[in-house]
Amino acid sequence: MTAPRNVLIVEDEPDWCDIYARIAAREGARTVKIAKDLVRAAALVDEIQFAVAFIDIGLDVSKDHNIDGLRVMDKIRSVQDETSIIVVTGRSGTDVLQITRDSLMRYHAHFIAAKREITPGDITAALKTGLEAFEERNSLRTVPAHTALKGDLESVLWEDQMIEGTRVQKGAQGLREFLDRLVSEFLPLIPAKLGGAVTRDAATEVMHGAYWSRSIGAAVVICFADAARAESEIASARSGRRLLGKYDVGAALNEFSAHGVSGAVFALSEAPRSSFARA
């Protein structure tokens, strides 16, 4: 699985935001989001998993002792994201040493520099190594697709239900291989209800579930079944923008078939982040 190359910029100076955004775009960032204060930054962390975050310490020029940047770092670590934190600060007071220690020791900052000393080349290098570090750490911690979809149910029980419902070839191995290809690019997934699992629609026997994807920062609905049933429902949803009579959907973001099973991930229309459990 390729980790999402999403970049967060937490900075209240427009010129610095522009510098970071241009460098991130040049280095292939998929999504670049800008927050000028703690409230917006915290909301974005709930919505999206970021590979790299550029964070200034002080986010209120009217308050010399503002340290909201540290609170943003705390938010990132509280949701257990492996984001590479890059601290570029204009502070020069007596508290800089303690702030630097906190950034390194408590929040495991990837890179720290002063605005008066850093160059565009330094920023580019920090971004590149930050992306690489995130991808390495994230690959070790990413929850497999089948684990994300089973919720709080026991793995064996849930997989038995899915195997029976889909008639997937190669049993549990085939199911896991199929789900990895269908769903992995949308991980992490947040269900509507904490611990909620993909379930079977009684009328169509199609497996389905709605989630918030922190990889793309949007709501999605996942569906899959044996090839004949799934392809019929997917085709109907593509044309009528309605899936299983339950979900108003947009574009199909991914479709995949293997081991006798077909599935799709659709954008879920008009579903805000607040409709899903907390990260």
Side-chain angles (χ1 to χ4, degrees), residues 30-242:
R30 181 172 69 182
T31 299
V32 177
K33 294 290 186 178
I34 297 174
K36 296 183 179 180
D37 56 43
L38 172 60
V39 173
R40 177 58 177 158
L44 286 171
V45 172
D46 273 336
E47 293 176 6
I48 302 174
Q49 182 186 65
F50 292 100
V52 171
F54 290 98
I55 301 178
D56 190 10
I57 299 300
L59 299 178
D60 187 340
V61 294
S62 68
K63 297 180 180 178
D64 291 340
H65 299 291
N66 181 279
I67 54 170
D68 280 350
L70 288 179
R71 297 186 175 95
V72 176
M73 298 181 210
D74 190 67
K75 173 64 178 180
I76 290 171
R77 296 303 180 227
S78 74
V79 297
Q80 301 183 339
D81 282 349
E82 296 289 351
T83 306
S84 294
I85 294 173
I86 297 174
V87 181
V88 184
T89 181
R91 296 179 75 101
S92 58
T94 57
D95 61 348
V96 168
L97 181 58
Q98 184 60 50
I99 288 171
T100 300
R101 287 174 177 167
D102 283 348
S103 300
L104 285 170
M105 297 178 65
R106 186 181 303 178
Y107 304 118
H108 310 290
H110 177 74
F111 180 85
I112 300 175
K115 285 182 176 177
R116 65 180 180 275
E117 298 173 354
I118 198 167
T119 68
D122 295 330
I123 295 171
T124 300
L127 176 59
K128 285 181 176 179
T129 58
L131 289 169
E132 292 168 358
F134 171 79
E135 288 167 1
E136 181 177 354
R137 292 191 303 266
N138 196 58
S139 67
L140 299 175
R141 292 196 55 186
T142 299
V143 173
H146 68 277
T147 301
L149 299 182
K150 77 176 184 61
D152 287 340
L153 293 178
E154 291 291 335
S155 293
V156 173
L157 174 61
W158 184 80
E159 286 182 349
D160 282 348
Q161 293 174 355
M162 297 299 105
I163 292 167
E164 179 185 2
T166 62
R167 304 176 183 87
V168 61
Q169 299 163 10
K170 296 174 62 177
Q173 179 184 347
L175 179 68
R176 294 182 181 194
E177 291 174 354
F178 165 77
L179 291 176
D180 280 342
R181 290 289 300 275
L182 178 67
V183 174
S184 286
E185 67 181 281
F186 303 98
L187 298 172
L189 291 170
I190 310 297
K193 179 181 178 183
L194 194 64
V198 159
T199 56
R200 177 165 35 174
D201 179 68
T204 64
E205 296 191 10
V206 171
M207 314 303 163
H208 64 94
Y211 294 85
W212 183 269
S213 166
R214 291 187 66 238
S215 173
I216 65 171
V220 299
V221 59
I222 297 163
C223 66
F224 57 95
D226 69 87
R229 288 189 178 91
E231 288 167 9
S232 173
E233 293 298 329
I234 291 168
S236 177
R238 278 199 303 264
S239 61
R241 300 302 186 188
R242 184 82 172 162

